[in-house]
Amino acid sequence: MFAREHIEYEAIDLPDRIDLSDEEMQSAARAFYEKMKARHTVRDFSDRPVARAVIEDCVRTAGTAPSGANHQPWHFVAIADPAFKKRIRDAAEEEERRFYEGGAGDEWLKALEPIGTNDSKPHLEDAPWLIVIFAQRWGYFDDGERFKNYYVPESTGIATGFLLAALHHAGLVALTHTPNPMKFLNEMLGRPDHEKAIMIVAVGHPRDDAKVPKVAKIKKPLNEILTVAD
Ligand code: IYR
């Protein structure tokens, strides 16, 4: 996407300035916390469809994330085609069988016990959409010359966070899924070798009887996650 004329520094006035009073700021911060606190990772999806335009806007939001040198080293593949979803499920379950049969090692499997995961991944077919996030090790100028990307895991991680927040804000639920290894996704989705799949996000509406692991709702208190020097 980068043309060479975009690689010189030019400043513009800050657009979209937000000017809240201290009180408004406090209530905005609290309201957003309350909103995000109500996000749950859900694996039981209903068959209610989700419009493509909603997925597109959520990916647009992900694409606004900050990134190393603004290279935006990500690509999203959104899949609704049932045949495609089945192929992804079959391949992911094959990987997962190896993982849960011991490939993960005892400590990792023990850590997953309270989450209740196993090698069965019906959500990869049940969810109306799967969004696969690819991280790009390098990019290309318009003229085809290759350039290096920086802070790729950090940048794609932030974009994925934006995506999850956008999906939640749109009233959807999601499940982050990380089959290991994920190389099969490049071939299946026709993505080039310099891209690395980092996550599959299953997206949709929760089933009426959807459950979440009880422990998932225990979040560390602020004094454990924040140290203040003021
Ligand atoms: N990739 C596996 C295992 C897994 C790993 C972690 I760390 C989790 O928090 C949950 C699952 C799977 O998706 O089941």
Side-chain angles (χ1 to χ4, degrees):
M1 79 153 246
F2 285 102
R4 292 204 182 270
E5 63 263 28
H6 290 150
I7 57 179
E8 266 171 39
Y9 180 67
E10 186 192 351
I12 59 164
D13 289 338
L14 171 66
D16 309 319
R17 190 182 286 273
I18 297 167
D19 197 8
L20 299 183
S21 69
D22 289 354
E23 293 72 30
E24 288 166 332
M25 201 181 302
Q26 179 62 73
S27 69
R30 180 49 62 127
F32 193 65
Y33 164 60
E34 295 294 343
K35 170 131 221 172
M36 292 306 289
K37 192 159 73 95
R39 185 206 58 82
H40 309 287
T41 297
V42 173
R43 62 186 59 237
D44 305 320
F45 291 92
S46 79
D47 57 9
R48 181 174 163 196
V50 174
R52 170 177 168 164
V54 173
I55 300 298
E56 286 177 348
D57 270 347
C58 292
V59 173
R60 277 192 179 95
T61 299
T64 69
S67 62
N70 191 37
H71 282 192
Q72 305 159 54
W74 44 64
H75 189 85
F76 300 84
V77 180
I79 303 142
D81 177 1
F84 242 118
K85 288 191 292 181
K86 178 166 174 25
R87 285 173 62 205
I88 291 176
R89 176 185 176 179
D90 290 347
E93 285 184 335
E94 200 180 311
E95 305 282 10
E96 293 298 320
R97 269 191 291 279
R98 278 193 281 277
F99 178 90
Y100 283 98
E101 273 165 13
D106 289 347
E107 186 175 356
W108 197 346
L109 291 178
K110 189 103 197 109
L112 288 177
E113 261 174 35
I115 311 295
T117 53
N118 56 40
D119 59 9
S120 166
K121 305 292 178 194
H123 47 266
L124 293 177
E125 276 190 88
D126 297 344
W129 288 95
L130 302 179
I131 304 176
V132 184
I133 299 130
F134 286 90
Q136 299 173 325
R137 292 188 192 95
W138 61 82
Y140 292 94
F141 287 111
D142 286 354
D143 59 15
E145 196 196 327
R146 183 169 132 172
F147 59 79
K148 188 173 158 21
N149 287 331
Y150 303 94
Y151 299 104
V152 174
E154 293 85 347
S155 302
T156 48
I158 296 170
T160 303
F162 274 35
L163 176 66
L164 295 173
L167 293 167
H168 174 59
H169 187 67
L172 295 165
V173 294
L175 175 78
T176 48
H177 175 65
T178 49
N180 187 8
M182 284 196 272
K183 191 74 195 154
F184 70 89
L185 289 164
N186 286 69
E187 202 186 309
M188 210 174 268
L189 301 173
R191 299 308 305 169
D193 273 354
H194 70 280
E195 291 187 0
K196 184 179 187 307
I198 56 165
M199 209 172 290
I200 303 174
V201 180
V203 179
H205 293 279
R207 251 187 4 229
D208 286 346
D209 63 347
K211 302 262 185 292
V212 296
K214 195 172 178 189
V215 292
K217 297 330 301 166
I218 306 171
K219 298 298 184 195
K220 291 181 179 177
L222 190 65
N223 65 7
E224 259 185 61
I225 64 168
L226 176 68
T227 301
V228 180
D230 60 358

